[in-house]
Amino acid sequence: MLEMSVQNPPTNFPGPIDPSVLYEQEQHISSAIWEGQDRGTLRCHEHTSKIDGWKLTKKQIDLVGKAGFGYFRLIGQVSLNNPLISALVERWRRETNTFHLPSGEITITLDEVVRILGLQVDGEAVVRDNSVVGSNTEICENLLGKAPNSDAKEIKGGMVKLGWLKENFSECPEDASNEEVERRTRAFLMYLVGSTIFATTSGNLVPLLYLPLFKDFDKAGNYAWGAAALAFLYRQLGKASMKSQGTISGSLTLLQCWSYFHLNIGRPELKQDLSHRFPLALHWKGRLNTQTKSDVVMYRQKLDSLDSSDIDWTPYKDLDSSSIPENFRGDLTLGRSRTILLCMDKAEWHLPDRCLRQFGLHQSIPKDVQRRETKNNEVDNELDMSKRMDSELQEWSNRWQNIVDVVEDGDGTDESEYTTWYSNITRKLVHRRAFAPSQFQESVSEMMKIQEIAYAASTEDLNMKNKLAFEKIKALVDRYLANRVEGFKVLEKRKRS
């Protein structure tokens, strides 16, 4: 009887039935929303409103391109739809680094970073450069020609204010020396990454850890900046998906544009066909014929009701591939690499085997994912970081040996096994229709009956496994009633009065 009740939950049960994959469900924002604790719209941090105020000379533009940001710098400001972003975050699961939609998992893959942002995803991992030594002040003096003033709060805990960079370096004289041109270009690159792909929730600040990576522009161009941007965004999505969070940062332009390509939810109308433009984020730059924005609840409901046919799993298949610069085309294959993405101390799994429909491939049950370490996979000291990074750098170095290659879609392969598995391990619903007082009263009354039966039942004939499961059920019922019985009493009092 016990096993039947677990396998056949109520029809409105949001899941997961099998918690082995989404083991952080109790900490996830969807649990809070289901219990009526709606945090509303997230505060979204990208700081691009003043990025077009930088005046770059031709020499600087050449150096920016050499460093790997020639196409990315063209994007500039994209207006954010905070309620849409918030609803997407509610579907993100950091256990799998994917969005769990009703019909399957989907995620932002490395090839999409190339297409949308114009950043290379192949190359050296973006990690700390220990060859540049000295204090933050000394590094700034060496690479920028001046240092921020701590007394004026231009620097804080190893992070420099974006405003200080713009105020001191945003215009480069035409007759500037090569050294001065390089210094001002480094300042621009710091401002660029600090306001976009590595934007933080700490205000308008960018970590000085990135500055040494721009010491040599040729070397900077060998870094996998796109992979680092995705690692950073994965981490921020994971944090924001927890019920304790109210903000999100990282490349929200990437997240939003990715959503526009895959989901017709909150998507603005395009004024013209820009399919030949690169990068694809330029589709959504500037003023758009925007549909009326919905609130987060409306977007949440739309995501809950999405069918597989409502999702454009392969939105780029009909786009002109010749618009992608030749030096980027080889990187697209890495979209199918099961690897680890790195960005300084952040390491995140890239798991395309969970989202094979995005590559026009048959979706099978994916491999298990290694459980996350404590403290969000972050480390406390350099020695721990060095040990951990060795294995994760090795994983990244093997990225080309771990390309997922499976059965192509359309060969008649049945996905029913996957569909059954997925329906058991996923969280189907986020939105919960509000209870009427009578419904609330009825649910509490029924749960009290279950509690009474559970405590009267004997467990003598059950094996140890089922005994433990039975005790867990009793504890869950107790907790449910402890959280709601006061509300039940209030409703009863109102009814009598």
Side-chain angles (χ1 to χ4, degrees):
M1 182 181 298
L2 179 64
E3 292 178 355
M4 285 179 63
S5 64
V6 172
Q7 291 173 2
N8 299 284
T11 55
N12 65 340
F13 181 66
I17 297 170
D18 174 359
S20 60
V21 176
L22 302 186
Y23 50 85
E24 292 187 320
Q25 181 56 52
E26 288 192 13
Q27 292 79 46
H28 194 265
I29 183 58
S30 59
S31 284
I33 293 169
W34 195 258
E35 298 302 330
Q37 302 163 23
D38 194 337
R39 70 183 176 189
T41 302
L42 291 168
R43 294 190 300 277
C44 299
H45 291 267
E46 256 193 352
H47 314 293
T48 58
S49 60
K50 298 179 180 178
I51 201 166
D52 293 332
W54 285 75
K55 309 299 181 186
L56 301 181
T57 64
K58 185 181 182 307
K59 287 183 179 179
Q60 285 184 289
I61 291 172
D62 290 343
L63 288 175
V64 170
K66 197 177 278 191
F69 293 89
Y71 293 97
F72 179 73
R73 75 169 186 88
L74 301 175
I75 298 171
Q77 184 178 13
V78 172
S79 179
L80 296 179
N81 184 339
N82 292 9
L84 173 61
I85 290 171
S86 302
L88 289 169
V89 169
E90 294 169 2
R91 283 280 176 181
W92 181 262
R93 301 307 301 230
R94 68 181 187 179
E95 301 98 324
T96 58
N97 279 346
T98 59
F99 297 99
H100 277 239
L101 299 180
S103 58
E105 294 175 64
I106 190 170
T107 197
I108 308 167
T109 52
L110 285 171
D111 60 303
E112 295 185 289
V113 178
V114 175
R115 295 176 188 275
I116 295 172
L117 297 186
L119 290 173
Q120 67 182 33
V121 295
D122 192 23
E124 294 183 36
V126 175
V127 294
R128 187 195 299 262
D129 183 353
N130 293 318
S131 67
V132 178
V133 296
S135 66
N136 287 327
T137 298
E138 291 169 338
I139 291 173
C140 286
E141 288 281 3
N142 182 33
L143 297 179
L144 299 178
K146 62 175 68 176
N149 187 338
S150 58
D151 293 335
K153 298 181 179 179
E154 294 167 344
I155 186 172
K156 180 181 178 181
M159 302 176 79
V160 63
K161 276 193 172 182
L162 295 174
W164 177 79
L165 291 170
K166 187 172 185 297
E167 181 181 345
N168 287 276
F169 302 98
S170 60
E171 291 193 31
C172 183
E174 288 291 340
D175 60 350
S177 65
N178 288 337
E179 183 180 33
E180 183 64 18
V181 170
E182 290 183 353
R183 286 172 171 174
R184 289 179 179 269
T185 305
R186 292 188 193 104
F188 169 73
L189 289 167
M190 282 288 288
Y191 188 97
L192 181 65
V193 300
S195 61
T196 56
I197 58 175
F198 304 138
T200 70
T201 59
S202 304
N204 297 331
L205 298 165
V206 57
L208 284 168
L209 279 174
Y210 299 109
L211 182 55
L213 303 182
F214 297 123
K215 179 181 179 180
D216 183 317
F217 293 95
D218 287 314
K219 185 177 179 181
N222 292 325
Y223 286 114
W225 292 108
L230 191 55
F232 194 95
L233 179 59
Y234 277 3
R235 179 59 59 88
Q236 301 314 311
L237 282 165
K239 287 182 177 179
S241 69
M242 296 291 101
K243 62 174 67 173
S244 59
Q245 300 297 309
T247 61
I248 184 171
S249 62
S251 184
L252 303 182
T253 288
L254 172 60
L255 170 61
Q256 183 168 287
C257 292
W258 171 89
S259 174
Y260 289 163
F261 280 110
H262 286 281
L263 311 172
N264 188 15
I265 296 178
R267 180 195 293 163
E269 297 177 9
L270 291 175
K271 291 179 288 187
Q272 55 182 309
D273 178 18
L274 299 176
S275 59
H276 60 284
R277 298 285 297 277
F278 182 83
L280 292 177
L282 293 173
H283 274 64
W284 317 108
K285 181 178 172 65
R287 291 186 175 273
L288 301 168
N289 297 325
T290 309
Q291 300 172 354
T292 302
K293 284 187 179 180
S294 302
D295 61 19
V296 66
V297 175
M298 184 62 69
Y299 287 131
R300 184 184 299 151
Q301 291 174 312
K302 289 181 177 180
L303 288 170
D304 270 7
S305 62
L306 272 183
D307 187 73
S308 181
S309 60
D310 299 320
I311 302 167
D312 192 343
W313 296 96
T314 56
Y316 318 107
K317 63 180 182 299
D318 295 327
L319 297 184
D320 184 4
S321 60
S322 66
S323 63
I324 302 174
E326 189 173 350
N327 59 310
F328 283 100
R329 293 176 199 168
D331 289 11
L332 298 178
T333 304
L334 285 178
R336 291 190 287 116
S337 176
R338 195 177 197 275
T339 187
I340 285 181
L341 309 177
L342 298 170
C343 180
M344 295 301 179
D345 65 334
K346 299 169 181 64
E348 295 287 342
W349 275 106
H350 179 255
L351 302 170
D353 57 313
R354 306 189 73 89
C355 310
L356 294 174
R357 294 166 178 165
Q358 292 178 239
F359 305 97
L361 300 173
H362 163 69
Q363 183 61 62
S364 54
I365 297 174
K367 297 179 182 177
D368 291 338
V369 185
Q370 181 180 340
R371 286 209 173 199
R372 298 179 63 86
E373 299 174 16
T374 57
K375 297 187 180 181
N376 281 344
N377 213 20
E378 292 173 354
V379 290
D380 294 328
N381 58 66
E382 292 185 12
L383 181 60
D384 288 343
M385 182 185 292
S386 176
K387 288 180 179 178
R388 196 200 68 179
M389 281 299 180
D390 284 344
S391 63
E392 292 171 341
L393 283 167
Q394 184 61 45
E395 189 76 36
W396 173 247
S397 70
N398 293 334
R399 59 194 177 276
W400 285 103
Q401 283 73 55
N402 293 312
I403 303 297
V404 176
D405 188 16
V406 290
V407 182
E408 288 192 19
D409 199 6
D411 65 348
T413 306
D414 186 7
E415 288 190 351
S416 59
E417 185 181 5
Y418 167 78
T419 302
T420 301
W421 170 84
Y422 182 71
S423 66
N424 283 318
I425 64 92
T426 195
R427 179 77 170 190
K428 300 180 185 70
L429 300 173
V430 176
H431 177 72
R432 185 179 193 175
R433 292 180 181 176
F435 276 129
S438 61
Q439 292 174 307
F440 177 74
Q441 180 178 354
E442 182 182 352
S443 67
V444 173
S445 296
E446 292 300 317
M447 193 62 72
M448 291 176 75
K449 291 177 185 177
I450 294 172
Q451 184 188 50
E452 184 179 350
I453 294 169
Y455 275 89
S458 171
T459 60
E460 289 183 6
D461 296 331
L462 297 178
N463 60 32
M464 183 57 66
K465 180 179 178 181
N466 281 346
K467 280 183 180 180
L468 292 173
F470 196 82
E471 291 302 318
K472 187 174 182 180
I473 289 172
K474 287 164 64 176
L476 289 170
V477 171
D478 289 346
R479 186 168 59 191
Y480 178 92
L481 288 173
N483 290 336
R484 290 159 185 78
V485 72
E486 290 303 319
F488 175 72
K489 290 177 180 177
V490 169
L491 288 171
E492 283 290 299
K493 185 176 180 180
R494 287 178 181 172
K495 184 177 179 181
R496 287 195 298 271
S497 62

